[in-house]
Amino acid sequence: MSKVVFGVDLGGTTVKMGYFSPEGELIEKWEIPTIKDNGGSQILPDIAASIKSKMAEKNISKEDVIGVGIGVPGPVSSDGVIYKAANLGWGVFSVKSEMEQLLDGIPAMAGNDANVAALGEMWCGGGKGYNNMVAVTLGTGVGGGIIVNGKILTGGTGSGGEIGHIHVDDNETETCGCGKKGCLEQYTSATGVTRLANIRLKKDDKPSQLRNGEVNSKTVWDAVKVGDSVAIDVANTFGEYLGKGLACVADVVNPEIFVIGGGVSKAGEVLIDYLKPSYTKYVFHGSKETKFALAKLGNDAGIYGAAKLVLDK
Ligand SMILES: [Zn+2]
């Protein structure tokens, strides 16, 4: 039996798991529910039990396992300590140490889920072949993961890469989920795009196919692709904000590539066309040539990155 590495992506409703060859081949993946009873105390034992039963089923010995990596929805320090995961009921403790104990000494590593997903995209997805990458996730909110010289930038309390809360508008009156006003997330998440579209539609009576049905990120981008001028206004505003926010990131990090994922990115390359003019306008000249690509691994990015976390240890 050749060596394998396990990757675990712990989410609020399901735990995604998989095991890989050290070269990045996904051999098998599966899911178990996240049982959050009793302050989330059963979550790690459930994960460990599932891994052990998979090892028994596939005849994988303890010696064949390089380690188990886990992405967790909360800030995690580089030595595997979580600083509270509110939606799991977790306080502050070492996820790494507890996993190692539950797995009878198999090495474990833990990281923040968004950062770990970024590492996955760099290993086997849209950022493959690069060493300095920023992942941007345009989902319900906007998340990010920053990788510098092949390593995740966790920061002092694991809060590095919070791209969604970069301030991009001084005149915003609505409050972001984080309590501030004018965050990038308010314009470029799926809900942000919908909000921009509704604001634009109210501005005048210009005809648009968006007036005939549901307004959401998908219908906006679909309308952009058929030349709907109101939707194009929305895309321009979206692109102006995203380009500006990413220019700020680039001025600090100087990545070789931005990899854009999340629900909004399903619009495809068109999204990159709209953010680039603004990016080029605002960024320092040294980062003008930074590349943009779409994420490739979808919901599997987390398990890939968790596995890579162990391999990089
Ligand atoms: Zn915010």
Side-chain angles (χ1 to χ4, degrees):
M1 180 82 197
S2 49
K3 300 256 181 195
V4 298
V5 55
F6 284 82
V8 179
D9 183 13
L10 170 51
T13 49
T14 56
V15 184
K16 298 185 184 70
M17 293 193 244
Y19 70 98
F20 299 79
S21 72
E23 292 75 36
E25 184 204 347
L26 174 57
I27 300 163
E28 191 186 340
K29 62 174 177 174
W30 70 99
E31 289 183 10
I32 61 169
T34 308
I35 310 289
K36 292 185 278 190
D37 301 351
N38 303 318
S41 60
Q42 202 48 46
I43 296 173
L44 291 182
D46 284 350
I47 292 170
S50 182
I51 288 171
K52 283 179 181 171
S53 88
K54 184 60 69 181
M55 287 168 62
E57 179 196 329
K58 300 290 172 183
N59 231 340
I60 301 168
S61 75
K62 204 175 136 184
E63 289 68 36
D64 295 330
V65 180
I66 299 165
V68 175
I70 175 166
V72 182
V76 182
S77 70
S78 54
D79 54 358
V81 174
I82 179 140
Y83 292 89
K84 292 186 183 170
N87 56 355
L88 299 179
W90 283 4
V92 181
F93 69 99
S94 173
V95 176
K96 173 184 157 64
S97 305
E98 186 155 338
M99 273 309 276
E100 286 177 345
Q101 208 170 0
L102 290 163
L103 290 165
D104 310 320
I106 292 173
M109 278 300 289
N112 166 266
D113 53 358
N115 289 340
V116 164
L119 192 61
E121 284 291 341
M122 195 183 74
W123 189 29
C124 296
K128 192 171 180 177
Y130 295 93
N131 217 21
N132 292 284
M133 185 197 105
V134 173
V136 186
T137 309
L138 308 174
T140 315
V142 172
I146 296 174
I147 298 171
V148 179
N149 298 328
K151 297 281 174 207
I152 293 173
L153 187 145
T154 47
T157 59
S159 294
E162 285 294 348
I163 291 170
H165 303 285
I166 291 176
H167 182 81
V168 289
D169 192 326
D170 289 344
N171 301 313
E172 184 57 61
T173 53
E174 284 187 34
T175 306
C176 175
C178 75
K180 301 192 296 159
K181 289 185 171 76
C183 292
L184 184 61
E185 176 169 300
Q186 290 182 279
Y187 314 96
T188 60
S189 62
T191 33
V193 173
T194 308
R195 193 174 77 96
L196 286 181
N198 285 321
I199 292 169
R200 174 61 191 85
L201 287 165
K202 281 192 193 117
K203 214 173 104 185
D204 56 32
D205 291 327
K206 204 168 175 184
S208 166
Q209 69 182 54
L210 293 173
R211 297 190 192 278
N212 306 325
E214 198 184 329
V215 177
N216 58 41
S217 170
K218 183 180 186 307
T219 58
V220 168
W221 288 104
D222 286 348
V224 168
K225 287 173 194 169
V226 296
D228 186 295
S229 66
V230 168
I232 288 172
D233 286 348
V234 176
N236 279 322
T237 310
F238 163 93
E240 172 74 15
Y241 282 119
L242 188 54
K244 192 177 186 180
L246 297 188
C248 292
V249 177
D251 284 354
V252 179
V253 180
N254 184 217
E256 296 161 86
I257 188 166
F258 282 101
V259 175
I260 302 178
V264 177
S265 74
K266 287 185 184 143
E269 297 279 344
V270 63
L271 179 151
I272 295 170
D273 298 339
Y274 278 92
L275 76 85
K276 262 196 163 169
S278 153
Y279 175 81
T280 309
K281 180 169 75 180
Y282 292 117
V283 81
F284 179 68
H285 61 79
S287 288
K288 273 205 192 330
E289 301 305 319
T290 298
K291 293 181 173 58
F292 288 85
L294 297 171
K296 284 187 182 158
L297 300 176
N299 290 333
D300 290 341
I303 55 172
Y304 273 90
K308 181 67 167 141
L309 202 58
V310 176
L311 294 172
D312 283 351
K313 198 171 52 163

